Amino acid sequence: MVNAEEFLSEFLKLELNHFTGVPDSTLKEWMILLDNNQSVFENRIAANEGAAIAHAAGYHLATKRVSVVYLQNSGLGNCVSPLTSLTDPEVYSIPLIMVIGWRGKSGLKDEPQHKKMGAITVEILDTLDIPYSILNDDTYKEQIESAKIEAEKNLKPYALIVEPGFFHSIASEKINSNQVGINREIAIKCIVNSIDGDDLIVSTTGKASRELYEVSANNSRGHNNNFYNVGSMGHVSSIGLEIALQKSDRKVYILDGDGALIMHMGSLSTIGYYQPKNLIHIIFDNESHESTGGQPTTSKTTSFSEILQGCSYKNVNTIQSESELSSILLKQHQGLLGIVVKTQVGSRDDLGRPADTPKTTKIRFMESIVNEK
């Protein structure tokens, strides 16, 4: 295994000192350094992986230098458009280095949402004509240097693939230790206890869905009217919108997160355009990508309430206490409702994962709402 400080040092020795991307738990130990030690390098927080490629392109245009883009392999999907229509040699021919965490690699146990991308990561890079190296403990220094040489020589992206367990593990710590607001699991319990059992909940990927699953399992609500969205980060708002439009007789609650919402925030405009009166959009904002180690999002300088209002949400509230949340949920509202809940970073150490497969979740949810009388 590799020491994360030595890994970062190799980039800096090669004057690779501009980083941008979306965090991945495979790279967690390195991410801590990128977020806590920025005196001699820049770490640009990107909204999504495609935007990170664009940041890297802008950096090269302004400096003639090579940027380093970090991401989980699931984010390759977000990168395809700028990799093919911006940085590709047939377009602007822009060099950059991608550091890709390899979740779902064949033969390694991982969550179901990572299996497909894990199996085709290398194939995607081959299809995009992006050369790559799978980093090795003994030769990673030479591989990083070679990546820079190849990227600059060929004026195109080069990928470095990082397998799980590449870095020496360190004591778990939250990069962002924000403790303002309410504990997220307490907020979810408040929501479950304040709404009708027939109301529908669509929850974002990550710890919010894991907490909702456990809260519902220990409550009379159960799971039938919950859709736990795994993967497809940032798209829960669109899923929830369409369910609300198709099931206008049912209240639909979207449980969203700040990092996920920022990733595809344009969906708010679509929600405001269609104005579903039965939709309640709840955003848990702890200013962190908590599931990947607590790296900061840009929500600290983002007013979600003003953005929701600008997208024509009829009622918008920003709260940071259980009593405020309960009071809002128990009121009768007319029109599209948005609630921004300031939440703390952190979750229970013994927080589990849903015991059901995604297909089981889908079938159970559909049987509950599609075939209703």
Side-chain angles (χ1 to χ4, degrees):
M1 290 185 286
V2 171
N3 180 287
E5 291 185 354
E6 294 179 4
F7 186 75
L8 175 58
S9 177
E10 289 307 310
F11 286 94
L12 300 182
K13 286 178 183 177
L14 296 168
E15 297 186 333
L16 295 166
N17 51 20
H18 182 272
F19 303 87
T20 183
V22 176
D24 172 37
S25 56
T26 304
L27 310 173
K28 179 174 64 176
E29 292 79 8
W30 186 46
M31 296 287 93
I32 291 174
L33 300 178
L34 290 183
D35 282 304
N36 289 348
N37 300 282
Q38 298 188 39
S39 58
V40 294
F41 60 85
E42 295 178 276
N43 180 28
R44 193 76 63 232
I45 301 171
N48 57 58
E49 295 85 356
I53 300 296
H55 282 297
Y59 176 75
H60 178 71
L61 291 172
T63 66
K64 296 184 179 180
R65 301 178 70 181
V66 173
S67 178
V68 180
V69 177
Y70 53 84
L71 65 148
Q72 185 181 105
N73 55 341
S74 61
L76 274 173
N78 283 332
C79 293
V80 169
S81 176
L83 285 173
T84 56
S85 61
L86 175 63
T87 62
D88 190 84
E90 295 297 323
V91 192
Y92 292 107
S93 196
I94 294 176
L96 59 91
I97 296 174
M98 304 168 70
V99 179
I100 304 173
W102 197 354
R103 295 294 302 273
K105 180 186 176 185
S106 298
L108 296 181
K109 184 178 180 181
D110 211 326
E111 299 304 307
Q113 65 268 28
H114 297 299
K115 290 182 178 179
K116 174 64 73 172
M117 185 58 80
I120 64 174
T121 293
V122 169
E123 294 180 25
I124 290 175
L125 294 173
D126 285 335
T127 300
L128 295 173
D129 193 28
I130 295 176
Y132 61 87
S133 296
I134 300 172
L135 290 182
N136 181 281
D137 292 8
D138 298 322
T139 60
Y140 74 90
K141 295 179 181 180
E142 293 82 0
Q143 289 173 303
I144 295 172
E145 182 177 10
S146 178
K148 182 188 180 186
I149 292 171
E150 290 297 311
E152 291 181 326
K153 181 178 73 173
N154 299 313
L155 293 177
K156 63 186 293 186
Y158 191 101
L160 298 172
I161 302 175
V162 179
E163 299 178 275
F166 178 77
F167 292 108
H168 282 292
S169 61
I170 58 175
S172 178
E173 62 177 289
K174 299 295 180 186
I175 298 171
N176 180 353
S177 58
N178 172 45
Q179 294 303 315
V180 175
I182 185 175
N183 173 277
R184 186 182 51 249
E185 186 169 357
I186 291 175
I188 290 173
K189 287 180 180 177
C190 178
I191 294 166
V192 168
N193 290 329
S194 300
I195 69 177
D196 292 339
D198 287 339
D199 293 341
L200 307 178
I201 300 179
V202 185
S203 55
T204 188
T205 188
K207 291 189 176 180
S209 278
R210 292 166 62 182
E211 289 168 341
L212 175 63
Y213 185 90
E214 293 204 358
V215 167
S216 297
N218 295 309
N219 184 284
S220 59
R221 177 178 179 83
H223 302 298
N224 288 0
N225 291 322
N226 294 349
F227 183 78
Y228 307 102
N229 184 48
V230 300
S232 58
M233 183 175 172
H235 292 297
V236 71
S237 55
S238 296
I239 296 171
L241 166 62
E242 198 60 40
I243 292 172
L245 293 173
Q246 299 301 325
K247 291 291 177 180
S248 58
D249 60 328
R250 304 279 288 273
K251 283 187 177 180
V252 178
Y253 291 79
I254 297 173
L255 305 190
D256 214 338
D258 55 302
L261 181 62
I262 289 171
M263 184 168 278
H264 295 292
M265 200 151 51
S267 296
L268 295 178
S269 178
T270 306
I271 292 173
Y273 181 84
Y274 285 103
Q275 285 291 309
K277 296 180 179 179
N278 58 325
L279 183 62
I280 301 91
H281 193 172
I282 300 175
I283 301 160
F284 298 128
D285 179 17
N286 63 5
E287 303 175 4
S288 294
H289 288 290
E290 186 176 339
S291 292
T292 58
Q295 300 85 1
T297 67
T298 55
S299 76
K300 185 176 183 178
T301 56
T302 301
S303 175
F304 287 124
S305 60
E306 292 184 25
I307 293 170
L308 294 175
Q309 289 169 346
C311 290
S312 298
Y313 280 56
K314 295 304 180 185
N315 303 282
V316 178
N317 301 269
T318 297
I319 62 97
Q320 55 183 13
S321 73
E322 183 179 1
S323 60
E324 290 176 296
L325 179 58
S326 177
S327 176
I328 292 169
L329 292 172
L330 293 174
K331 287 180 181 178
Q332 292 295 321
H333 294 275
Q334 298 296 321
L336 176 60
L337 172 61
I339 307 174
V340 181
V341 184
K342 298 299 293 187
T343 52
Q344 302 169 5
V345 173
S347 61
R348 288 185 288 109
D349 291 337
D350 61 348
L351 179 63
R353 295 180 180 275
D356 309 314
T357 67
K359 286 183 181 178
T360 297
T361 295
K362 180 198 76 169
I363 293 168
R364 180 176 57 214
F365 183 76
M366 292 180 68
E367 286 180 346
S368 176
I369 70 169
V370 174
N371 298 321
E372 60 188 353
K373 295 181 180 179

